[in-house]
Amino acid sequence: AEYMGENRHQSDMNVPAANRPFKHEERNDLYKIVEDYLEKIIQEVTGPKCLVLDQETTGIISLVVSQSDILKKEVFLIDLVERPTKEKFLHLKAILFLRPTERNVNFIKSEIASARFKEYYLIFSNSIANEYLREIAECDKNDVVKHVQEVFADYYVVNRELFSMNIGSTMCLDDKQTASFRPEDLAIINRIAAVSYTHLTLPTIYSV
C-alpha cells in the first residue's frame, strides 16, 4: 500500500504536500481546510466507491458538506463502522475515513480480511501509531489496501475560526491524582495537534 505521512510533525518543509494543500490565507479557515481535505480524499479515488465513516468522522464531515453533495462524487454508498452492511460490493472501491483508534483498526483488519470491496483506501483523521500500521499490513494478505494517508481533520468546525473537540469536559487535565494519560486526555491533545498541523503553527495554551 502507498503510505503518505512520513516526517509529518517536524516542520512546514517536512509536512507532505498532500497534507498541506492550502495557500497561506486559507490556513486560518477551518471550514475550508476540512472541506478541501474531504474533496481531495474523494476525488483522488476514481470510479464508483463507498465512503466508510465512524461516528466521529460522520459528525466532522456533516458540518462542512451535505450527504447529497457527497453522493454526487461517484459515492454510491455511505457505510458506518458501527452498523456495517454485510453484503459484498466487489465492484466498488472503499474509502475508509476513520479516527485512528484501536476499535477502528480492528474493524479495518476484519474488513480487509473479508474483502467486501474491490480496493481499500485508508484515510485517518489524525496521526496513527506505527504499531497499528504494522497490524493492518500483516492482515493485508491479498494486497487490497492501495493507499494509506493521514489528514489532520480531527475536530468539529463551528465556523471558519472556531472549532470544537466534542469532548464534554476538560477537567480531567486538572486531575493531579492521575499519574498517566487517559484516553480522554490523549483525545484532547491529539485534536489540538491536528488543528496546529493544519495551520502549521505551534499553539499557546493557557491553564486557568
Side-chain angles (χ1 to χ4, degrees), residues 182-200:
R182 294 167 294 189
E184 56 266 37
D185 303 333
L186 293 175
I188 294 169
I189 294 168
N190 289 338
R191 288 178 172 178
I192 292 174
V195 177
S196 300
Y197 294 147
T198 54
H199 282 73
L200 300 176

Side-chain angles (χ1 to χ4, degrees), residues 1 10 22 31 52 74 85 133 147 152 165 169 173 196 198 208:
Q10 297 175 15
F22 316 111
Y31 185 94
V52 182
E74 293 188 287
T85 58
L133 289 176
H147 182 78
F152 301 108
M165 293 184 288
S169 173
L173 295 178
S196 300
T198 54
V208 295

Side-chain angles (χ1 to χ4, degrees), residues 51-120:
L51 181 61
V52 182
L53 306 169
D54 59 34
Q55 184 176 2
E56 294 270 17
T57 54
T58 298
I60 289 168
I61 69 170
S62 67
L63 294 174
V64 299
V65 65
S66 68
Q67 181 173 326
S68 59
D69 286 337
I70 293 175
L71 295 175
K72 292 176 184 176
K73 303 179 187 301
E74 293 188 287
V75 176
F76 289 86
L77 177 67
I78 298 178
D79 208 4
L80 298 177
V81 169
E82 290 80 10
R83 299 188 303 277
T85 58
K86 302 300 182 183
E87 186 178 350
K88 287 200 171 188
F89 300 93
L90 298 180
H91 61 295
L92 296 179
K93 301 174 183 179
I95 303 172
L96 278 62
F97 179 43
L98 307 173
R99 293 201 72 241
T101 64
E102 182 178 5
R103 176 182 179 182
N104 285 341
V105 168
N106 288 334
F107 171 81
I108 291 169
K109 290 158 59 177
S110 174
E111 264 294 318
I112 61 180
S114 63
R116 287 195 304 136
F117 296 95
K118 179 181 178 181
E119 296 174 354
Y120 288 84

